[in-house]
Short mmCIF file of all heavy atoms in Angstrom, two decimals:
data_model
loop_
_atom_site.label_atom_id
_atom_site.label_comp_id
_atom_site.label_asym_id
_atom_site.label_seq_id
_atom_site.Cartn_x
_atom_site.Cartn_y
_atom_site.Cartn_z
N TRP A 112 112.31 96.21 124.87
CA TRP A 112 112.95 97.21 124.02
C TRP A 112 113.53 96.60 122.77
O TRP A 112 113.54 97.19 121.70
CB TRP A 112 113.98 98.02 124.81
CG TRP A 112 113.32 99.03 125.70
CD1 TRP A 112 113.24 99.02 127.06
CD2 TRP A 112 112.53 100.16 125.26
NE1 TRP A 112 112.46 100.09 127.51
CE2 TRP A 112 112.04 100.79 126.42
CE3 TRP A 112 112.22 100.68 124.00
CZ2 TRP A 112 111.23 101.93 126.35
CZ3 TRP A 112 111.42 101.84 123.95
CH2 TRP A 112 110.96 102.43 125.11
N LYS A 113 114.01 95.34 122.91
CA LYS A 113 114.48 94.62 121.70
C LYS A 113 113.31 94.34 120.76
O LYS A 113 113.41 94.49 119.56
CB LYS A 113 115.17 93.31 122.09
CG LYS A 113 116.63 93.52 122.49
CD LYS A 113 117.37 92.19 122.66
CE LYS A 113 117.66 91.49 121.38
NZ LYS A 113 118.81 92.11 120.64
N GLN A 114 112.18 93.97 121.37
CA GLN A 114 110.98 93.73 120.56
C GLN A 114 110.54 95.02 119.86
O GLN A 114 110.15 94.99 118.68
CB GLN A 114 109.79 93.26 121.45
CG GLN A 114 109.87 91.84 121.84
CD GLN A 114 108.69 91.43 122.71
OE1 GLN A 114 107.85 92.27 123.10
NE2 GLN A 114 108.56 90.16 123.03
N PHE A 115 110.61 96.13 120.58
CA PHE A 115 110.23 97.41 119.99
C PHE A 115 111.09 97.73 118.77
O PHE A 115 110.57 98.08 117.70
CB PHE A 115 110.31 98.55 120.99
CG PHE A 115 110.10 99.90 120.37
CD1 PHE A 115 108.86 100.31 119.90
CD2 PHE A 115 111.18 100.78 120.21
CE1 PHE A 115 108.66 101.53 119.31
CE2 PHE A 115 111.01 102.00 119.61
CZ PHE A 115 109.74 102.40 119.14
N GLU A 116 112.41 97.59 118.91
CA GLU A 116 113.32 97.89 117.82
C GLU A 116 112.98 97.07 116.58
O GLU A 116 112.92 97.61 115.47
CB GLU A 116 114.75 97.62 118.23
CG GLU A 116 115.33 98.62 119.25
CD GLU A 116 116.63 98.15 119.85
OE1 GLU A 116 117.21 97.14 119.35
OE2 GLU A 116 117.07 98.76 120.86
N VAL A 117 112.76 95.78 116.77
CA VAL A 117 112.50 94.89 115.64
C VAL A 117 111.12 95.14 115.05
O VAL A 117 110.95 95.28 113.83
CB VAL A 117 112.66 93.40 116.08
CG1 VAL A 117 112.18 92.47 114.98
CG2 VAL A 117 114.10 93.11 116.42
N MET A 118 110.11 95.24 115.91
CA MET A 118 108.71 95.40 115.42
C MET A 118 108.53 96.76 114.77
O MET A 118 107.85 96.88 113.76
CB MET A 118 107.71 95.18 116.55
CG MET A 118 106.30 94.99 116.03
SD MET A 118 105.04 94.83 117.34
CE MET A 118 105.41 93.21 117.93
N TYR A 119 109.13 97.77 115.35
CA TYR A 119 109.03 99.12 114.81
C TYR A 119 109.55 99.17 113.37
O TYR A 119 108.89 99.66 112.46
CB TYR A 119 109.82 100.07 115.71
CG TYR A 119 109.94 101.51 115.22
CD1 TYR A 119 108.86 102.39 115.27
CD2 TYR A 119 111.16 101.99 114.72
CE1 TYR A 119 108.99 103.69 114.82
CE2 TYR A 119 111.31 103.29 114.28
CZ TYR A 119 110.20 104.13 114.32
OH TYR A 119 110.32 105.44 113.88
N ASP A 120 110.74 98.59 113.16
CA ASP A 120 111.32 98.57 111.80
C ASP A 120 110.46 97.72 110.85
O ASP A 120 110.26 98.09 109.69
CB ASP A 120 112.75 98.01 111.85
CG ASP A 120 113.74 99.01 112.46
OD1 ASP A 120 113.42 100.22 112.52
OD2 ASP A 120 114.81 98.57 112.91
N SER A 121 109.99 96.58 111.37
CA SER A 121 109.21 95.66 110.54
C SER A 121 107.89 96.30 110.11
O SER A 121 107.50 96.20 108.94
CB SER A 121 108.95 94.37 111.34
OG SER A 121 108.12 93.52 110.63
N VAL A 122 107.21 96.97 111.04
CA VAL A 122 105.89 97.58 110.71
C VAL A 122 106.12 98.77 109.76
O VAL A 122 105.32 98.98 108.85
CB VAL A 122 105.15 98.00 111.99
CG1 VAL A 122 103.88 98.77 111.63
CG2 VAL A 122 104.79 96.77 112.82
N LYS A 123 107.18 99.54 109.96
CA LYS A 123 107.46 100.65 109.05
C LYS A 123 107.66 100.14 107.60
O LYS A 123 107.11 100.71 106.69
CB LYS A 123 108.75 101.39 109.48
CG LYS A 123 108.53 102.40 110.58
CD LYS A 123 109.55 103.51 110.63
CE LYS A 123 110.97 103.02 110.71
NZ LYS A 123 111.94 104.14 110.84
N GLU A 124 108.41 99.05 107.48
CA GLU A 124 108.64 98.46 106.15
C GLU A 124 107.34 97.97 105.56
O GLU A 124 107.07 98.11 104.36
CB GLU A 124 109.66 97.31 106.23
CG GLU A 124 111.11 97.76 106.35
CD GLU A 124 111.52 98.65 105.20
OE1 GLU A 124 111.29 98.26 104.03
OE2 GLU A 124 112.02 99.77 105.45
N ASN A 125 106.53 97.34 106.39
CA ASN A 125 105.24 96.79 105.95
C ASN A 125 104.33 97.90 105.43
O ASN A 125 103.71 97.78 104.39
CB ASN A 125 104.59 96.04 107.11
CG ASN A 125 103.21 95.44 106.76
OD1 ASN A 125 102.20 96.11 106.90
ND2 ASN A 125 103.20 94.23 106.28
N ILE A 126 104.28 99.02 106.21
CA ILE A 126 103.41 100.12 105.79
C ILE A 126 103.92 100.75 104.48
O ILE A 126 103.15 101.05 103.57
CB ILE A 126 103.33 101.22 106.89
CG1 ILE A 126 102.61 100.65 108.12
CG2 ILE A 126 102.60 102.45 106.38
CD1 ILE A 126 102.67 101.54 109.36
N LYS A 127 105.25 100.91 104.37
CA LYS A 127 105.82 101.49 103.15
C LYS A 127 105.50 100.61 101.94
O LYS A 127 105.17 101.13 100.85
CB LYS A 127 107.33 101.67 103.32
CG LYS A 127 107.68 102.84 104.23
CD LYS A 127 109.18 102.90 104.48
CE LYS A 127 109.54 104.01 105.46
NZ LYS A 127 110.96 103.97 105.86
N LYS A 128 105.61 99.30 102.11
CA LYS A 128 105.27 98.38 101.01
C LYS A 128 103.79 98.53 100.64
O LYS A 128 103.42 98.51 99.46
CB LYS A 128 105.53 96.92 101.43
CG LYS A 128 106.97 96.46 101.23
CD LYS A 128 107.09 94.94 101.32
CE LYS A 128 107.17 94.47 102.74
NZ LYS A 128 107.42 93.01 102.82
N GLY A 129 102.96 98.65 101.68
CA GLY A 129 101.52 98.83 101.43
C GLY A 129 101.19 100.11 100.71
O GLY A 129 100.35 100.13 99.83
N VAL A 130 101.87 101.19 101.06
CA VAL A 130 101.66 102.48 100.38
C VAL A 130 102.13 102.36 98.92
O VAL A 130 101.43 102.82 98.00
CB VAL A 130 102.42 103.61 101.12
CG1 VAL A 130 102.42 104.89 100.28
CG2 VAL A 130 101.78 103.87 102.48
N ASP A 131 103.31 101.77 98.71
CA ASP A 131 103.87 101.64 97.35
C ASP A 131 102.95 100.82 96.44
O ASP A 131 102.92 101.03 95.22
CB ASP A 131 105.24 100.98 97.40
CG ASP A 131 106.31 101.89 98.01
OD1 ASP A 131 106.03 103.13 98.10
OD2 ASP A 131 107.38 101.42 98.40
N THR A 132 102.22 99.85 97.02
CA THR A 132 101.38 98.97 96.20
C THR A 132 99.91 99.41 96.21
O THR A 132 99.05 98.73 95.66
CB THR A 132 101.48 97.51 96.70
OG1 THR A 132 101.20 97.47 98.13
CG2 THR A 132 102.84 96.91 96.43
N GLY A 133 99.62 100.56 96.84
CA GLY A 133 98.26 101.11 96.82
C GLY A 133 97.31 100.45 97.78
O GLY A 133 96.08 100.66 97.72
N ILE A 134 97.83 99.66 98.73
CA ILE A 134 96.99 98.95 99.69
C ILE A 134 96.77 99.82 100.95
O ILE A 134 95.69 99.74 101.55
CB ILE A 134 97.67 97.59 100.07
CG1 ILE A 134 97.61 96.65 98.85
CG2 ILE A 134 96.96 96.95 101.27
CD1 ILE A 134 98.40 95.37 99.08
N PHE A 135 97.80 100.60 101.32
CA PHE A 135 97.68 101.49 102.47
C PHE A 135 97.68 102.95 102.01
O PHE A 135 98.33 103.26 101.01
CB PHE A 135 98.81 101.25 103.48
CG PHE A 135 98.81 99.86 104.10
CD1 PHE A 135 100.00 99.26 104.47
CD2 PHE A 135 97.61 99.17 104.31
CE1 PHE A 135 99.99 97.99 105.05
CE2 PHE A 135 97.61 97.89 104.87
CZ PHE A 135 98.81 97.30 105.27
N ARG A 136 97.03 103.83 102.76
CA ARG A 136 96.89 105.21 102.39
C ARG A 136 98.24 105.95 102.48
O ARG A 136 98.97 105.82 103.47
CB ARG A 136 95.87 105.91 103.30
CG ARG A 136 94.44 105.40 103.08
CD ARG A 136 93.43 106.14 103.94
NE ARG A 136 93.50 105.74 105.35
CZ ARG A 136 93.98 106.52 106.33
NH1 ARG A 136 94.44 107.73 106.07
NH2 ARG A 136 94.00 106.10 107.58
N PRO A 137 98.57 106.75 101.46
CA PRO A 137 99.87 107.43 101.44
C PRO A 137 100.05 108.49 102.55
O PRO A 137 101.16 108.82 102.92
CB PRO A 137 99.92 108.09 100.04
CG PRO A 137 98.50 108.16 99.60
CD PRO A 137 97.80 107.01 100.24
N GLU A 138 98.93 109.03 103.08
CA GLU A 138 99.03 110.07 104.10
C GLU A 138 99.24 109.50 105.51
O GLU A 138 99.35 110.26 106.49
CB GLU A 138 97.80 110.99 104.08
CG GLU A 138 96.51 110.34 104.58
CD GLU A 138 95.73 109.62 103.49
OE1 GLU A 138 96.31 109.29 102.43
OE2 GLU A 138 94.53 109.35 103.69
N VAL A 139 99.31 108.17 105.63
CA VAL A 139 99.47 107.57 106.97
C VAL A 139 100.82 108.01 107.58
O VAL A 139 101.85 108.06 106.91
CB VAL A 139 99.46 106.00 106.87
CG1 VAL A 139 99.97 105.36 108.13
CG2 VAL A 139 98.07 105.51 106.51
N ASP A 140 100.78 108.40 108.85
CA ASP A 140 101.98 108.78 109.58
C ASP A 140 102.68 107.46 110.00
O ASP A 140 102.24 106.77 110.93
CB ASP A 140 101.60 109.60 110.82
CG ASP A 140 102.82 110.10 111.58
OD1 ASP A 140 103.84 109.41 111.62
OD2 ASP A 140 102.74 111.22 112.14
N VAL A 141 103.72 107.10 109.28
CA VAL A 141 104.35 105.78 109.43
C VAL A 141 104.96 105.61 110.82
O VAL A 141 104.77 104.57 111.47
CB VAL A 141 105.42 105.58 108.33
CG1 VAL A 141 106.13 104.24 108.53
CG2 VAL A 141 104.79 105.61 106.96
N ASP A 142 105.64 106.64 111.28
CA ASP A 142 106.30 106.55 112.61
C ASP A 142 105.26 106.37 113.72
O ASP A 142 105.34 105.47 114.54
CB ASP A 142 107.14 107.80 112.87
CG ASP A 142 107.80 107.78 114.24
OD1 ASP A 142 108.77 107.03 114.42
OD2 ASP A 142 107.29 108.48 115.15
N PHE A 143 104.25 107.21 113.73
CA PHE A 143 103.19 107.17 114.75
C PHE A 143 102.47 105.82 114.73
O PHE A 143 102.27 105.17 115.74
CB PHE A 143 102.20 108.30 114.51
CG PHE A 143 101.00 108.26 115.42
CD1 PHE A 143 101.08 108.71 116.74
CD2 PHE A 143 99.79 107.76 114.99
CE1 PHE A 143 99.98 108.68 117.58
CE2 PHE A 143 98.67 107.71 115.81
CZ PHE A 143 98.78 108.15 117.11
N THR A 144 102.10 105.38 113.50
CA THR A 144 101.33 104.13 113.38
C THR A 144 102.16 102.93 113.80
O THR A 144 101.65 102.01 114.47
CB THR A 144 100.90 103.95 111.91
OG1 THR A 144 100.15 105.09 111.49
CG2 THR A 144 100.02 102.71 111.76
#
Side-chain angles (χ1 to χ4, degrees):
W112 283 110
K113 277 188 74 75
Q114 281 181 355
F115 171 71
E116 287 167 12
V117 170
M118 195 183 287
Y119 174 74
D120 288 340
S121 175
V122 175
K123 278 205 304 184
E124 282 304 308
N125 179 271
I126 294 171
K127 285 174 185 173
K128 275 195 278 186
V130 169
D131 290 344
T132 53
I134 291 173
F135 296 149
R136 293 183 287 108
E138 70 273 18
V139 167
D140 185 325
V141 177
D142 178 75
F143 174 79
T144 305

